[in-house]
Amino acid sequence: MHRRILTALLTLTVSACATTKPAETPPETPASQQPQTPASDPEAFRDTQPKPGTPPDIVLPTFEKAQLDNGLTVIVSTRKELPLVFAGIAFASGVSQEPLAKLGVADLSYRMLLEGAGKRDTVALDNAFADLGVSPAMSVEPDGAFVGARVLTRNVDAVMALLSDVVLRPTFDAKAFDRRKKQQLGELVRRMGDPNFLAQQAYYAAVFGADHPYGHPSGGTPKTVQSLTLADAKNFYVKNTGPRAAALIMTGDVTLPQAVEWAKKYFGGWKGGAVAPKPPPAPPAPPRELVRVVPKPGLEQTMVMVGRPGLAAGHADEYPLELATTVFGGFFGSRLNMNIREDKGYSYGANASLGTRLGVGPLTAYAAVRQNVTGPALEEFMKELAGIKTNPITEKELAAAREGLIRAFPGAFETVEGLGGSASQLFFHRRPMDEYKKSVEGLRDASAAEVQRVAEAYLDPAAMQVVLVGDPLVIQEQVTPLKLGKLTLVETPASDAAPKAATP
């Protein structure tokens, strides 16, 4: 209406100013016969969801492998966009190779590599890396360890010389060992106050068994670390490392022939009898009989951790189960999170993950919930697990999980460090060089029937072990009526005590 009035006024103004004879005005059409224009709604666009654009093609990196005469593996992924190279050594033995009486020795042993090497002490070694503009990275995992650094292409030779000292000529200085040991003990003291870490300690023992190689997280306990000696650290390193149990990882502005030449130059003389360890044995998955409780009186939240043994990397069910786990709790829109967080408001977030390893890894669901809803939250965990069978996974849920997992792949390869970490996982888990391509294909091709089959087989609530960290009286009051198993107190790792029956 306003537009018609404005048009009429402009027409009158122009007509009044014209010097030529105006055209004859046609007779006005009665208002009842004029076409009706609906009123414009500026918010109408919100009724139609925008359609996404065409997604870009998934571009995956190429990994290549070679082997030196001494058995050293060389893995390369070439990316020439920037003059950057990530170079590192991956070791095939990790936390799972620790003797039970010496838990924490893997962390202590590998981290001693950066506490002095060749003719350099800790400070001199750190300064030598800093002179190249880098800070070396170190990680110690259940199935291996990794040390490396990112440098400009022109500094590759220099960083390789430093890495060869670190790997082949670590000093294992006594004073540096004492300092590093105190740091590890201090970190353990800090972690003992973290409910998530306490839950992991109890959870891994519950799922794998306390004596299993995967039955504990990294770092050890205060008791075991306190007993470690310099000889323990040196012996672990000598026993578990050597060219046949290691890989040179190079990614970025480097080719496989170049990497092989650097490997020969700096590691061709490396000797040692260690070989890559065999996968740990598969643990049983018995029905749940206990609900394990780590007591933290007065804790305002309860850490809930539920799970069981899952799969080893490369298992035929890996991709369908990854999809099923994602639908259950692997992203924001998952069943578990939408229930626990969005519907009930019990937690900031609930998650689930499938942790494949060289051996059978854990299948875990977890959340930190308000203390006063510990029982109801755990009950919802079990309902959602049972619902996988009674309320099968829909095509919409499966499509969202599939798309999310596949589209997340490139994020792991954004940097040369990410490429290096991805290459190390191939080595740790003994996977083929085209593993990531096969992963995308496996996720894309897994049928709805396969996903539902593995979901029902692995997400059975009866086989899920339960660990709770929180106020024991609150847990006893709220969880006992659920009849999920006998409540059993698990002392903190500081005491290294065996589980015992809970008392009011």
Side-chain angles (χ1 to χ4, degrees), residues 202-216:
Y203 174 72
Y204 287 133
V207 168
F208 296 104
D211 295 339
H212 191 274
Y214 289 157
H216 53 89

Side-chain angles (χ1 to χ4, degrees), residues 3-345:
R3 292 182 62 187
R4 289 202 295 270
I5 293 173
L6 180 59
T7 301
L9 289 174
L10 288 173
T11 301
L12 289 174
T13 302
V14 172
S15 299
C17 297
T19 57
T20 58
K21 183 179 179 180
E24 184 175 343
T25 303
E28 185 175 346
T29 303
S32 61
Q33 299 179 20
Q34 291 182 2
Q36 299 297 310
T37 303
S40 176
D41 181 2
E43 298 295 317
F45 74 94
R46 299 185 187 278
D47 296 336
T48 304
Q49 183 176 353
K51 294 182 179 180
T54 303
D57 294 333
I58 298 292
V59 179
L60 299 175
T62 298
F63 294 92
E64 301 175 277
K65 183 170 74 170
Q67 193 169 55
L68 301 191
D69 291 341
N70 64 353
L72 179 68
T73 299
V74 180
I75 301 177
V76 170
S77 183
T78 302
R79 177 177 290 173
K80 292 285 189 176
E81 294 94 333
L82 295 172
L84 294 173
V85 173
F86 185 82
I89 293 290
F91 303 97
S93 292
V95 175
S96 62
Q97 298 304 306
E98 294 176 334
L100 288 175
K102 300 184 185 298
L103 298 182
V105 70
D107 268 84
L108 194 51
S109 179
Y110 283 123
R111 295 187 190 282
M112 281 298 296
L113 300 184
L114 297 176
E115 296 289 346
K119 297 180 179 180
R120 300 179 178 89
D121 61 12
T122 304
V123 175
L125 181 61
D126 189 63
N127 287 340
F129 278 108
D131 288 343
L132 300 176
V134 302
S135 179
M138 168 71 74
S139 66
V140 184
E141 305 177 19
D143 294 321
F146 191 46
V147 59
R150 180 192 67 179
V151 293
L152 292 170
T153 304
R154 65 172 182 264
N155 292 330
V156 172
D157 210 63
V159 84
M160 288 293 291
L162 290 176
L163 285 173
S164 67
D165 273 348
V166 165
V167 173
L168 304 182
R169 292 171 285 277
T171 58
F172 281 94
D173 177 75
K175 290 184 179 180
F177 173 81
D178 289 340
R179 182 180 65 255
R180 172 56 67 180
K181 178 178 172 178
K182 289 179 181 178
Q183 290 175 344
Q184 188 158 325
L185 285 169
E187 175 63 13
L188 283 171
V189 170
R190 184 194 68 78
R191 294 168 76 183
M192 291 305 163
D194 180 359
N196 184 58
F197 176 72
L198 295 177
Q200 287 183 41
Q201 290 273 3
Y203 174 72
Y204 287 133
V207 168
F208 296 104
D211 295 339
H212 191 274
Y214 289 157
H216 53 89
S218 65
T221 70
K223 180 179 179 180
T224 59
V225 173
Q226 185 63 56
S227 69
L228 295 176
T229 65
L230 177 61
D232 291 329
K234 291 175 68 175
N235 290 341
F236 179 90
Y237 185 72
V238 171
K239 178 182 177 181
N240 290 284
T241 64
R244 291 187 292 166
L248 171 65
I249 307 291
M250 300 191 76
T251 60
D253 187 17
V254 60
T255 64
L256 183 61
Q258 289 174 321
V260 169
E261 288 305 309
W262 270 312
K264 291 178 179 178
K265 179 178 179 180
Y266 290 103
F267 295 97
W270 190 6
K271 301 183 186 304
V275 296
K278 295 180 180 179
R288 180 186 59 260
E289 296 179 349
L290 306 175
V291 174
R292 293 167 172 83
V293 180
V294 180
K296 292 286 287 185
L299 196 65
E300 294 184 356
Q301 289 184 314
T302 300
M303 187 67 202
V304 179
M305 196 163 281
V306 175
R308 55 160 291 164
L311 299 173
H315 192 283
D317 288 341
E318 179 179 356
Y319 306 128
L321 186 54
E322 185 71 53
L323 288 163
T325 305
T326 301
V327 170
F328 171 69
F331 69 117
F332 185 86
S334 66
R335 293 185 178 188
L336 185 64
N337 190 62
M338 295 304 287
N339 182 341
I340 298 295
R341 174 192 160 110
E342 295 298 289
D343 183 34
K344 304 297 189 304

Side-chain angles (χ1 to χ4, degrees), residues 477-502:
E477 178 184 357
Q478 296 189 20
V479 176
T480 300
L482 301 181
K483 297 181 180 180
L484 297 176
K486 182 179 181 181
L487 266 63
T488 302
L489 289 182
V490 179
E491 298 295 339
T492 60
S495 66
D496 291 312
K500 57 185 178 182

Side-chain angles (χ1 to χ4, degrees), residues 259-438:
V260 169
E261 288 305 309
W262 270 312
K264 291 178 179 178
K265 179 178 179 180
Y266 290 103
F267 295 97
W270 190 6
K271 301 183 186 304
V275 296
K278 295 180 180 179
R288 180 186 59 260
E289 296 179 349
L290 306 175
V291 174
R292 293 167 172 83
V293 180
V294 180
K296 292 286 287 185
L299 196 65
E300 294 184 356
Q301 289 184 314
T302 300
M303 187 67 202
V304 179
M305 196 163 281
V306 175
R308 55 160 291 164
L311 299 173
H315 192 283
D317 288 341
E318 179 179 356
Y319 306 128
L321 186 54
E322 185 71 53
L323 288 163
T325 305
T326 301
V327 170
F328 171 69
F331 69 117
F332 185 86
S334 66
R335 293 185 178 188
L336 185 64
N337 190 62
M338 295 304 287
N339 182 341
I340 298 295
R341 174 192 160 110
E342 295 298 289
D343 183 34
K344 304 297 189 304
Y346 292 161
S347 171
Y348 285 116
N351 302 276
S353 63
L354 175 64
T356 53
R357 298 179 177 180
L358 176 63
V360 172
L363 173 58
T364 313
Y366 56 95
V369 304
R370 300 198 318 271
Q371 179 204 75
N372 63 337
V373 294
T374 298
L378 182 56
E379 187 174 22
E380 293 305 319
F381 267 74
M382 294 301 164
K383 285 182 179 179
E384 289 298 342
L385 287 165
I388 289 290
K389 185 173 183 178
T390 59
N391 182 23
I393 294 171
T394 67
E395 287 291 346
K396 183 178 179 181
E397 289 176 315
L398 182 56
R402 199 191 310 271
E403 185 75 3
L405 288 171
I406 291 175
R407 292 294 167 189
F409 264 85
F413 313 126
E414 289 180 336
T415 64
V416 292
E417 298 98 312
L419 281 172
S422 299
S424 71
Q425 294 302 311
L426 296 178
F427 179 70
F428 294 157
H429 298 156
R430 324 284 165 77
R431 305 309 300 150
M433 293 298 101
D434 61 348
E435 173 71 2
Y436 297 112
K437 178 177 179 290
K438 288 183 176 179

